[in-house]
Amino acid sequence: MNYFDTDLTTLHTKLVNKEITSEQLTKETLATIKADNEKLNAYITIDEDAALATAKAVDEKGINADNLWAGIPIAIKDNIVTKGLKTTAASKMLADFNPIYDATVIEKLRANDVVIIGKTNMDEFAMGGSTETSYFKTTHNPWNLSKVPGGSSGGSATTVSAGGVLAALGTDTGGSIRQPASFTGVVGVKPTYGRVSRWGIIAFGSSLDQVGPFTRTVKDNAALLNIIAGHDDHDMTSSDKAVPDFTAGLDGSVKGMRVALPKEYLGEGVDENVKKAVLDAASTFKSLGATVDEVSLPHSKYGIAAYYIISSSEASSNLQRFDGIRYGYRAKDVKNLEDVYVRSRSEGFGNEVKRRIMLGTYSLSAGFYDAYFRKAAEVRTLMINDFKKVFEDHDFIIGPTAPTPAFGIGEDSNDPKKMYMNDVLTVPVNMAGLPGMSLPAGFSNDLPVGLQIIAKPFDEQTLYRAGYAFEQATDFHKATPEIGGDK
């Protein structure tokens, strides 16, 4: 089976009415995933035995009619720790790491009787935009196997796009949910910073990281955020704001709303077909009764430079713990303590991770802190103020998720600067801590194009309302790749 022709509500109704059991659903899901994984490399670990045991236990317990996600298989990005299930962050450094606790989001999924099907491939320690920096394998885009699926959450996006699962979790530090969602033609949401607990996430950039869902539809995405959002005492950065029902108000209406379209988001370097998709989306919103205005986010052009200084600085700090002593990879035949440190890190980390550690360490060093890190933090404040100004008069912002559709495997991997520029339209959202969504909005050379929607802090309801209205007015979300099964 695949999940192309169904949604959460339909599956839940079948489970409640015993038209299908969770065990049957899980077996069919595993069969699809294993068949496609040879082509796609979406998974690092498929947890077949535990998934079937969970599904059987859910069936014996009975499906609660009020629990939409009970018995539904979900995939998890491999930097989210799962008790008793190997969590590698796609790195040699953690190739055999078996966590002794669950991340808070995993605890919430288990409390809702979700079936965790496996751990998805990603860029090493979430550092990359193509899922090519994984120590284990390169994931392929289901729309074209010679193309990347985006990153760093490429495995999660791929398995949803290919119909392997109904939903998956990813993390987004500078676009790592939204960009692969755009490249693979699915819905991906980065919630407001603090909306979802980061406890149990293998840290990359602590002021930027956020967990979010991948799904095929906006409504299913909102339903998954419903159960993973909320305050967590383990995470001092998690918000204590009440969590609303994100599926409420999805009526397809944006009448009277004001939409902002930043001129900088359609500038040089943006593919012409991507521009057309965004302008067509603007016309769609107008036809639905919204007003669309051109606006300016003048400091967004500095976003990439500021982001890579801040994120790399935070990464250099977060990755200090991997030293070959406490856990993780340890080099063999070492001669002394310094040898343990140097060789374990040199052998355990890949090139992209080393590059960012060096950049971050340099930016934080005594002679360069003011010139680089402090300046980047000041630019971040200017970017936040730009968004605040736009949101004084507008309900949400639209633009491309990525400047181009998916690029070829190996095409940008040896050019870090070119690779980093793929994040130019997504990093401002993380820098400002805002919620952002990518959803299907068209095609360029037979590859999906994503529309990015950005809302005010903690206003995911508007994000979903706008996304749902666009989705219902178009058919792009109904398109499916051949690799996932019969259309």
Side-chain angles (χ1 to χ4, degrees), residues 114-345:
V114 168
V115 177
I116 294 173
I117 208 81
K119 307 299 287 292
T120 57
N121 197 28
M122 55 181 283
D123 284 296
E124 184 182 9
F125 282 101
M127 299 180 194
S130 63
T131 316
E132 292 175 283
T133 70
S134 169
Y135 170 68
F136 300 101
K137 59 188 75 176
T138 295
T139 300
H140 298 259
N141 192 316
W143 288 88
N144 183 328
L145 295 179
S146 70
K147 304 294 184 180
V148 303
S152 62
S153 307
S156 290
T158 292
T159 189
V160 173
S161 176
V165 289
L166 192 69
L169 290 188
T171 62
D172 192 312
T173 307
S176 289
I177 289 173
R178 289 160 291 145
Q179 185 244 33
S182 175
F183 281 7
T184 60
V186 298
V187 180
V189 166
K190 178 212 112 45
T192 306
Y193 182 79
R195 176 64 89 181
V196 179
S197 172
R198 293 185 299 109
W199 174 257
I201 311 305
I202 297 173
F204 167 12
S206 299
S207 73
L208 301 159
D209 297 341
Q210 191 62 191
V211 182
F214 289 96
T215 56
R216 296 196 62 80
T217 69
V218 171
K219 188 175 181 180
D220 286 358
N221 200 286
L224 186 50
L225 185 58
N226 274 348
I227 66 170
I228 65 171
H231 177 70
D232 177 19
D233 288 337
H234 292 302
D235 178 6
M236 63 182 291
T237 65
S238 69
S239 173
D240 58 4
K241 286 183 179 291
V243 178
D245 179 1
F246 297 115
T247 63
L250 300 185
D251 56 8
S253 174
V254 290
K255 188 174 182 179
M257 300 184 80
R258 295 194 65 181
V259 185
L261 177 56
K263 61 183 180 181
E264 293 83 1
Y265 285 14
L266 295 176
E268 184 180 352
V270 178
D271 178 269
E272 287 301 319
N273 290 327
V274 173
K275 286 183 186 178
K276 182 180 184 303
V278 173
L279 293 174
D280 287 348
S283 297
T284 298
F285 281 117
K286 287 180 183 177
S287 72
L288 294 173
T291 302
V292 180
D293 302 317
E294 182 180 87
V295 299
S296 179
L297 294 170
H299 296 98
S300 61
K301 61 185 177 182
Y302 305 117
I304 286 291
Y307 166 81
Y308 276 97
I309 289 171
I310 290 172
S311 64
S312 297
S313 297
E314 294 180 359
S316 72
S317 177
N318 282 322
L319 270 59
Q320 286 180 12
R321 70 195 69 179
F322 302 110
D323 55 11
I325 300 295
R326 286 161 286 191
Y327 57 92
Y329 176 80
R330 181 169 182 164
K332 309 296 184 184
D333 302 320
V334 292
K335 299 176 182 178
N336 51 47
L337 185 60
E338 183 177 353
D339 213 21
V340 173
Y341 292 152
V342 173
R343 286 187 50 202
S344 295
R345 289 170 66 83

Side-chain angles (χ1 to χ4, degrees), residues 462-482:
T462 292
L463 196 73
Y464 283 119
R465 179 182 172 188
Y468 185 77
F470 179 79
E471 183 182 76
Q472 295 304 299
T474 60
D475 291 327
F476 301 120
H477 66 288
K478 296 179 182 178
T480 59
E482 296 286 352

